[in-house]
Structure formats: structure tokens, C-alpha cells
Amino acid sequence: MDRHAPQAQVHASAIVDDGAVLGPGTRVWHFAHVCAGARIGAGCSLGQNVFVGNDVRIGDRVKIQNNVSVYDAVTLEDDVFCGPSMVFTNVHNPRAAVERKNEYRRTLVRRGATLGANATIVCGVTVGEYAFIGAGAVVTRDVPAFALMAGVPARQIGWMSRHGERLPLRIGGNGEARCPHTGDLYLLQDGVCMLVPRGDDAASQP
């Protein structure tokens, strides 16, 4: 138990600055550094060598794997997964000799999104709910909910279920599909993919 983070578990080698807020059940592992202004929810895991800046908000049950820096102006909603060594930025046109701290562009990662290992999220974008960013992809623009993204720069190559299974839906088309693991029904219409609530899923009724 660390004095900076009541009800959280902080490894002896980690640094949690006075003023940082860590929710109950959150774990901070070896050599991590959480700055004073950070606000982190419950049940999160911050892996080895993770850095969290002052102007950062992290929801509940977020998993940040080793060697990730979450810089100022980044918000991660509940249940976000950040793969090993993935990268956030906060300045669009950095120069070492030019001070641009007043030009940070805010990045928002919505609930349940996955950011794959070594992916890069260029600042100023929103990653939609349950989107899936493939390993090594470079995201330069907003990502729709449930979208599967890959490549440099990242482009959409499919759709993913909330459970992390690929959905048989065509890019640019309309239709519906079920998650092969959970049976949940998804509706794609005019480029928007939505999870159909169980009560509204007529096909699931006896």
C-alpha cells in the first residue's frame, strides 16, 4: 500500500506523485511514474515503465501494458486496452526549439477500445467505442465505433464485436451480423455500426 494511492497497489520502484488519484484495486508496476494531476479509476493495471502525465484522465478497468507513455491531453474511458509500447502524442508539429505546450491537441479513446502493440495515436483524434487498432497501425483521423483499423496510415479493414471478434460486415455496405462468440447482434447502416440491445433483437426471441 503506497501513501500516495490509498486502496491501490504500487510497486516499491514506482513513483506516484503527491496529488495523483488512483482508484481502489488499481495496480502500478515496476518503474512506472504517475504525475500529480493524473486521475485514474478503479481496477486499472499500469505495466512496467508506464508514464502518466498530469492532464490525463483514465477510467475504470483500463489496462496499460509495458512501456506506454500517456501524455497530457489524453483521456481513456473505461475498459480501454493499451498494448505494449504503443504511442500517444499531444503536439501535431513538434520542434525541439519551439515551445508548443499551449497547442496540445486532445485525444479521446472511448470505452472498450483496443490499441494494439506499437500502434501510434496521433493527437487530436477520437477512437470510437470498442474500436480495434491493429499492431503497428498509425491513426491520423477519427475512428468509428467497432471499426477494425490497420496500416500506416491506418485505414479501416473491417468491423469488430465488443468481445473482440471480427464481424462479417462489408466496409461501405449495410447489413447485420452476430458476434461468433457471444451471439450479440450488430447492425451496420450508412457507415455506423451499432450493438442491438438484447430486448430489441427480434431474432433472439423464442
Side-chain angles (χ1 to χ4, degrees):
M1 191 74 71
D2 186 274
R3 65 186 178 88
H4 298 296
Q7 304 179 64
Q9 299 177 12
V10 179
H11 190 269
S13 66
I15 298 172
V16 178
D17 291 340
D18 287 328
V21 174
L22 278 68
T26 286
R27 296 171 294 174
V28 181
W29 294 103
H30 305 66
F31 310 116
H33 181 192
V34 180
C35 291
R39 299 293 181 267
I40 301 173
C44 297
S45 176
L46 279 60
Q48 180 172 303
N49 200 36
V50 164
F51 170 81
V52 180
N54 279 295
D55 183 17
V56 170
R57 299 295 178 267
I58 296 175
D60 297 335
R61 301 174 301 280
V62 172
K63 293 183 178 179
I64 304 176
Q65 303 294 84
N66 295 353
N67 305 312
V68 175
S69 292
V70 187
Y71 294 121
D72 285 348
V74 173
T75 296
L76 309 178
E77 293 187 345
D78 296 347
D79 301 307
V80 167
F81 178 88
C82 297
S85 301
M86 61 79 46
V87 176
F88 292 102
T89 70
N90 56 14
V91 176
H92 185 71
N93 54 338
R95 292 291 197 191
V98 181
E99 180 70 41
R100 289 199 164 108
K101 290 185 177 180
N102 63 338
E103 299 177 20
Y104 287 168
R105 297 188 183 185
R106 306 203 71 84
T107 297
L108 173 61
V109 182
R110 294 285 190 185
R111 179 188 182 102
T114 289
L115 312 177
N118 290 300
T120 298
I121 310 299
V122 175
C123 59
V125 304
T126 295
V127 177
E129 288 189 351
Y130 300 102
F132 198 103
I133 311 302
V138 178
V139 174
T140 60
R141 61 185 65 186
D142 290 351
V143 175
F146 301 105
L148 172 61
M149 309 290 291
V152 181
R155 63 183 183 88
Q156 187 176 1
I157 62 170
W159 299 97
M160 296 287 276
S161 77
R162 184 170 58 175
H163 194 76
E165 301 285 348
R166 191 160 183 174
L167 296 169
L169 293 169
R170 184 171 59 87
I171 301 296
N174 294 321
E176 60 181 46
R178 290 193 181 275
C179 173
H181 185 89
T182 66
D184 288 338
L185 180 66
Y186 292 81
L187 178 66
L188 176 62
Q189 188 170 12
D190 299 328
V192 177
C193 186
M194 298 173 290
L195 172 64
V196 178
R198 285 282 182 171
D200 296 335
D201 181 0
S204 70
Q205 301 304 312

Short mmCIF file of all heavy atoms in Angstrom, two decimals, residues 113-148:
data_model
loop_
_atom_site.label_atom_id
_atom_site.label_comp_id
_atom_site.label_asym_id
_atom_site.label_seq_id
_atom_site.Cartn_x
_atom_site.Cartn_y
_atom_site.Cartn_z
N ALA A 113 -12.17 0.37 -26.28
CA ALA A 113 -11.30 0.32 -27.46
C ALA A 113 -10.00 -0.42 -27.14
O ALA A 113 -9.52 -0.42 -26.01
CB ALA A 113 -11.00 1.72 -27.96
N THR A 114 -9.43 -1.05 -28.18
CA THR A 114 -8.14 -1.72 -28.08
C THR A 114 -7.14 -1.01 -28.97
O THR A 114 -7.41 -0.78 -30.16
CB THR A 114 -8.26 -3.19 -28.53
OG1 THR A 114 -9.01 -3.93 -27.56
CG2 THR A 114 -6.89 -3.84 -28.68
N LEU A 115 -5.99 -0.67 -28.40
CA LEU A 115 -4.89 -0.05 -29.14
C LEU A 115 -3.75 -1.05 -29.16
O LEU A 115 -3.13 -1.31 -28.13
CB LEU A 115 -4.47 1.26 -28.47
CG LEU A 115 -5.61 2.22 -28.10
CD1 LEU A 115 -5.06 3.45 -27.39
CD2 LEU A 115 -6.42 2.62 -29.33
N GLY A 116 -3.47 -1.64 -30.31
CA GLY A 116 -2.54 -2.75 -30.40
C GLY A 116 -1.10 -2.37 -30.14
O GLY A 116 -0.72 -1.19 -30.13
N ALA A 117 -0.27 -3.38 -29.93
CA ALA A 117 1.15 -3.19 -29.65
C ALA A 117 1.80 -2.34 -30.74
O ALA A 117 1.57 -2.55 -31.93
CB ALA A 117 1.85 -4.54 -29.55
N ASN A 118 2.59 -1.35 -30.31
CA ASN A 118 3.36 -0.47 -31.20
C ASN A 118 2.49 0.42 -32.09
O ASN A 118 3.01 1.06 -33.01
CB ASN A 118 4.33 -1.28 -32.07
CG ASN A 118 5.46 -1.86 -31.26
OD1 ASN A 118 6.23 -1.14 -30.64
ND2 ASN A 118 5.56 -3.18 -31.26
N ALA A 119 1.19 0.48 -31.84
CA ALA A 119 0.35 1.42 -32.58
C ALA A 119 0.68 2.85 -32.14
O ALA A 119 1.16 3.08 -31.03
CB ALA A 119 -1.12 1.13 -32.33
N THR A 120 0.42 3.80 -33.02
CA THR A 120 0.61 5.22 -32.72
C THR A 120 -0.71 5.95 -32.93
O THR A 120 -1.35 5.81 -33.97
CB THR A 120 1.68 5.84 -33.62
OG1 THR A 120 2.94 5.20 -33.38
CG2 THR A 120 1.83 7.34 -33.34
N ILE A 121 -1.11 6.72 -31.91
CA ILE A 121 -2.32 7.53 -31.99
C ILE A 121 -1.89 8.99 -32.09
O ILE A 121 -1.43 9.58 -31.11
CB ILE A 121 -3.23 7.31 -30.76
CG1 ILE A 121 -3.46 5.83 -30.50
CG2 ILE A 121 -4.54 8.07 -30.95
CD1 ILE A 121 -4.14 5.08 -31.63
N VAL A 122 -1.98 9.56 -33.30
CA VAL A 122 -1.59 10.95 -33.49
C VAL A 122 -2.62 11.85 -32.80
O VAL A 122 -3.83 11.60 -32.87
CB VAL A 122 -1.47 11.28 -34.99
CG1 VAL A 122 -1.18 12.77 -35.19
CG2 VAL A 122 -0.36 10.44 -35.62
N CYS A 123 -2.16 12.89 -32.13
CA CYS A 123 -3.02 13.70 -31.26
C CYS A 123 -4.17 14.35 -32.03
O CYS A 123 -4.11 14.59 -33.23
CB CYS A 123 -2.20 14.76 -30.55
SG CYS A 123 -1.32 15.88 -31.64
N GLY A 124 -5.24 14.62 -31.29
CA GLY A 124 -6.38 15.33 -31.83
C GLY A 124 -7.48 14.45 -32.38
O GLY A 124 -8.45 14.95 -32.94
N VAL A 125 -7.35 13.13 -32.21
CA VAL A 125 -8.36 12.22 -32.75
C VAL A 125 -9.21 11.63 -31.64
O VAL A 125 -8.84 11.65 -30.47
CB VAL A 125 -7.72 11.07 -33.56
CG1 VAL A 125 -6.83 11.63 -34.67
CG2 VAL A 125 -6.93 10.12 -32.67
N THR A 126 -10.35 11.08 -32.05
CA THR A 126 -11.20 10.29 -31.17
C THR A 126 -11.27 8.87 -31.70
O THR A 126 -11.57 8.67 -32.89
CB THR A 126 -12.62 10.89 -31.09
OG1 THR A 126 -12.56 12.18 -30.48
CG2 THR A 126 -13.54 9.98 -30.27
N VAL A 127 -10.98 7.91 -30.85
CA VAL A 127 -11.11 6.50 -31.19
C VAL A 127 -12.42 6.01 -30.61
O VAL A 127 -12.64 6.09 -29.40
CB VAL A 127 -9.92 5.68 -30.65
CG1 VAL A 127 -10.09 4.19 -30.96
CG2 VAL A 127 -8.60 6.20 -31.23
N GLY A 128 -13.31 5.52 -31.45
CA GLY A 128 -14.66 5.19 -31.04
C GLY A 128 -14.75 3.98 -30.13
O GLY A 128 -13.80 3.20 -29.98
N GLU A 129 -15.92 3.81 -29.52
CA GLU A 129 -16.17 2.69 -28.60
C GLU A 129 -15.87 1.35 -29.27
O GLU A 129 -16.29 1.09 -30.40
CB GLU A 129 -17.62 2.70 -28.13
CG GLU A 129 -17.96 3.82 -27.16
CD GLU A 129 -19.35 3.63 -26.56
OE1 GLU A 129 -20.09 2.75 -27.04
OE2 GLU A 129 -19.68 4.36 -25.61
N TYR A 130 -15.14 0.52 -28.57
CA TYR A 130 -14.84 -0.85 -28.98
C TYR A 130 -14.14 -0.94 -30.33
O TYR A 130 -14.11 -2.01 -30.95
CB TYR A 130 -16.11 -1.72 -28.95
CG TYR A 130 -16.72 -1.77 -27.58
CD1 TYR A 130 -17.83 -1.00 -27.26
CD2 TYR A 130 -16.15 -2.56 -26.58
CE1 TYR A 130 -18.37 -1.03 -25.98
CE2 TYR A 130 -16.68 -2.59 -25.30
CZ TYR A 130 -17.79 -1.83 -25.00
OH TYR A 130 -18.32 -1.86 -23.74
N ALA A 131 -13.56 0.16 -30.80
CA ALA A 131 -12.72 0.09 -32.00
C ALA A 131 -11.51 -0.77 -31.70
O ALA A 131 -11.12 -0.95 -30.54
CB ALA A 131 -12.30 1.49 -32.43
N PHE A 132 -10.90 -1.30 -32.74
CA PHE A 132 -9.74 -2.19 -32.59
C PHE A 132 -8.65 -1.69 -33.53
O PHE A 132 -8.78 -1.78 -34.75
CB PHE A 132 -10.14 -3.63 -32.94
CG PHE A 132 -9.19 -4.67 -32.43
CD1 PHE A 132 -9.50 -5.43 -31.31
CD2 PHE A 132 -7.98 -4.89 -33.07
CE1 PHE A 132 -8.61 -6.39 -30.84
CE2 PHE A 132 -7.09 -5.85 -32.60
CZ PHE A 132 -7.41 -6.60 -31.49
N ILE A 133 -7.56 -1.17 -32.94
CA ILE A 133 -6.44 -0.65 -33.70
C ILE A 133 -5.36 -1.72 -33.76
O ILE A 133 -4.81 -2.12 -32.72
CB ILE A 133 -5.88 0.64 -33.07
CG1 ILE A 133 -6.99 1.64 -32.75
CG2 ILE A 133 -4.82 1.25 -33.98
CD1 ILE A 133 -7.84 2.05 -33.92
N GLY A 134 -5.06 -2.21 -34.96
CA GLY A 134 -4.12 -3.30 -35.10
C GLY A 134 -2.70 -2.92 -34.70
O GLY A 134 -2.33 -1.74 -34.65
N ALA A 135 -1.88 -3.94 -34.44
CA ALA A 135 -0.49 -3.72 -34.05
C ALA A 135 0.25 -2.92 -35.12
O ALA A 135 0.15 -3.21 -36.31
CB ALA A 135 0.20 -5.06 -33.82
N GLY A 136 0.96 -1.88 -34.68
CA GLY A 136 1.79 -1.09 -35.58
C GLY A 136 1.05 -0.07 -36.41
O GLY A 136 1.68 0.67 -37.17
N ALA A 137 -0.26 0.01 -36.29
CA ALA A 137 -1.03 0.99 -37.08
C ALA A 137 -0.76 2.40 -36.61
O ALA A 137 -0.44 2.64 -35.43
CB ALA A 137 -2.52 0.67 -37.00
N VAL A 138 -0.90 3.37 -37.51
CA VAL A 138 -0.72 4.79 -37.17
C VAL A 138 -2.04 5.51 -37.46
O VAL A 138 -2.42 5.70 -38.62
CB VAL A 138 0.42 5.43 -37.98
CG1 VAL A 138 0.54 6.92 -37.64
CG2 VAL A 138 1.75 4.72 -37.68
N VAL A 139 -2.73 5.89 -36.40
CA VAL A 139 -4.06 6.52 -36.51
C VAL A 139 -3.89 8.02 -36.64
O VAL A 139 -3.33 8.68 -35.76
CB VAL A 139 -4.92 6.17 -35.28
CG1 VAL A 139 -6.24 6.93 -35.32
CG2 VAL A 139 -5.17 4.67 -35.23
N THR A 140 -4.39 8.58 -37.74
CA THR A 140 -4.24 10.01 -38.01
C THR A 140 -5.57 10.74 -38.09
O THR A 140 -5.59 11.95 -38.28
CB THR A 140 -3.49 10.22 -39.34
OG1 THR A 140 -4.24 9.60 -40.41
CG2 THR A 140 -2.09 9.61 -39.28
N ARG A 141 -6.69 10.00 -37.97
CA ARG A 141 -8.01 10.63 -38.03
C ARG A 141 -8.97 9.85 -37.13
O ARG A 141 -8.64 8.77 -36.66
CB ARG A 141 -8.53 10.67 -39.46
CG ARG A 141 -8.70 9.31 -40.10
CD ARG A 141 -9.10 9.44 -41.57
NE ARG A 141 -8.03 10.05 -42.35
CZ ARG A 141 -8.15 10.39 -43.63
NH1 ARG A 141 -9.31 10.20 -44.25
NH2 ARG A 141 -7.14 10.91 -44.27
N ASP A 142 -10.15 10.43 -36.91
CA ASP A 142 -11.12 9.80 -36.02
C ASP A 142 -11.47 8.39 -36.52
O ASP A 142 -11.49 8.11 -37.72
CB ASP A 142 -12.40 10.63 -35.95
CG ASP A 142 -12.21 11.94 -35.20
OD1 ASP A 142 -11.15 12.14 -34.59
OD2 ASP A 142 -13.15 12.77 -35.24
N VAL A 143 -11.76 7.51 -35.55
CA VAL A 143 -12.06 6.11 -35.83
C VAL A 143 -13.49 5.82 -35.37
O VAL A 143 -13.84 6.09 -34.22
CB VAL A 143 -11.07 5.18 -35.09
CG1 VAL A 143 -11.44 3.72 -35.28
CG2 VAL A 143 -9.64 5.44 -35.57
N PRO A 144 -14.32 5.23 -36.23
CA PRO A 144 -15.70 4.92 -35.83
C PRO A 144 -15.76 3.83 -34.75
O PRO A 144 -14.83 3.02 -34.61
CB PRO A 144 -16.35 4.41 -37.13
CG PRO A 144 -15.44 4.85 -38.23
CD PRO A 144 -14.07 4.90 -37.64
N ALA A 145 -16.85 3.79 -34.04
CA ALA A 145 -17.09 2.71 -33.07
C ALA A 145 -17.07 1.36 -33.79
O ALA A 145 -17.56 1.23 -34.91
CB ALA A 145 -18.43 2.92 -32.39
N PHE A 146 -16.46 0.37 -33.15
CA PHE A 146 -16.38 -1.02 -33.62
C PHE A 146 -15.51 -1.21 -34.87
O PHE A 146 -15.44 -2.32 -35.41
CB PHE A 146 -17.78 -1.60 -33.88
CG PHE A 146 -18.68 -1.59 -32.69
CD1 PHE A 146 -19.70 -0.67 -32.57
CD2 PHE A 146 -18.49 -2.50 -31.66
CE1 PHE A 146 -20.54 -0.65 -31.47
CE2 PHE A 146 -19.33 -2.50 -30.54
CZ PHE A 146 -20.35 -1.57 -30.45
N ALA A 147 -14.82 -0.17 -35.33
CA ALA A 147 -14.02 -0.29 -36.54
C ALA A 147 -12.73 -1.05 -36.27
O ALA A 147 -12.10 -0.92 -35.21
CB ALA A 147 -13.68 1.09 -37.09
N LEU A 148 -12.30 -1.84 -37.24
CA LEU A 148 -11.01 -2.53 -37.23
C LEU A 148 -10.08 -1.77 -38.16
O LEU A 148 -10.35 -1.62 -39.35
CB LEU A 148 -11.18 -3.98 -37.70
CG LEU A 148 -9.90 -4.78 -37.93
CD1 LEU A 148 -9.08 -4.89 -36.65
CD2 LEU A 148 -10.23 -6.16 -38.49
#
